[in-house]
Amino acid sequence: MNLALLSLAILPGATSDWPLQPRPEVVHGFELPAKPWLPGHRGVDLAGRPGQPVLAATPGTITYAGPLAGRGVITITAGARRTTYEPVVPAVSVGATVRAGTVIGRLSAAGSHCLPRACLHWGLLQGKQYLNPLTLVRNRPVRLLPLTNQQAQPARAPSPVPSGPPSRAADVSPAPPDSNQRTAKLIIAATAALTLTAGLLIRRE
């Protein structure tokens, strides 16, 4: 099957650092809802283990580090862009400046999106718009899609032979050979009779 490579555009200032090392498995991808109030998955879930170091995927300033809705959350801000990490036990304080790859905390099992497994929910916002955080990494995962969505069509079964009386269109058919032969014989016989009658009249005169 011919395959086409579906890649993601790399955002300006992209980094090769993942928030977990070594490169983690993407357990649940990014699913932006059609409307802001509809359910979706505004980030990606990366497989990890409890206590694993969580790294800053982007440089910036820590603008939040603490509990939120029962789980630890860290936010790194750089201009209009923010990256979020949860559930994390923070190792940094609000106001700290970090580089990409800096350890900002430890992965927590409490509040995991992947129970009973532990995983990091990694989010990205540009202003108020949620984006796919995988666009930040150069060695991002790829998907292979078929070049066409056409699928092989099953072979059509032969049309059944109708069991009812033939249609009117079927009645319009050439005359059978026997009918043509009878017509020819009648014409020959009539011609012979006329010829004989004409001969008898001539003899009488």
Side-chain angles (χ1 to χ4, degrees):
M1 177 186 296
N2 292 325
L3 297 175
L5 191 63
L6 179 65
S7 62
L8 297 172
I10 301 174
L11 292 178
T15 172
S16 59
D17 289 328
W18 288 75
L20 296 178
Q21 292 292 341
R23 174 175 163 173
E25 172 195 356
V26 178
V27 179
H28 192 172
F30 179 77
E31 298 174 6
L32 185 66
K35 300 291 184 181
W37 58 85
L38 294 176
H41 196 244
R42 298 168 176 83
V44 295
D45 291 335
L46 307 178
R49 64 182 187 279
Q52 182 175 354
V54 176
L55 313 176
T58 57
T61 301
I62 304 298
T63 53
Y64 189 87
L68 182 65
R71 53 186 177 272
V73 178
I74 295 177
T75 301
I76 299 176
T77 302
R81 184 176 66 186
R82 290 173 290 157
T83 50
T84 60
Y85 312 78
E86 60 177 284
V88 180
V89 178
V92 291
S93 301
V94 173
T97 300
V98 296
R99 297 180 179 181
T102 300
V103 175
I104 57 175
R106 300 280 174 174
L107 184 62
S108 172
S112 172
H113 285 199
C114 311
L115 291 175
R117 301 175 64 182
C119 67
L120 175 70
H121 182 78
W122 180 28
L124 170 63
L125 295 96
Q126 187 74 22
K128 295 183 179 180
Q129 178 65 42
Y130 284 92
L131 301 175
N132 187 343
L134 295 183
T135 56
L136 294 172
V137 290
R138 295 184 184 278
N139 57 337
R140 61 198 181 279
V142 296
R143 293 175 58 196
L144 294 178
L145 297 176
L147 286 174
T148 177
N149 292 328
Q150 292 180 353
Q151 299 179 352
Q153 298 293 331
R156 296 181 61 184
S159 300
V161 177
S163 57
S167 62
R168 296 185 61 183
D171 294 338
V172 181
S173 58
D178 292 344
S179 177
N180 291 338
Q181 291 177 3
R182 288 196 298 270
T183 302
K185 289 179 180 179
L186 290 174
I187 293 173
I188 294 171
T191 303
L194 290 174
T195 302
L196 179 59
T197 302
L200 293 174
L201 291 174
I202 291 172
R203 288 182 181 179
R204 289 180 181 179
E205 292 178 356

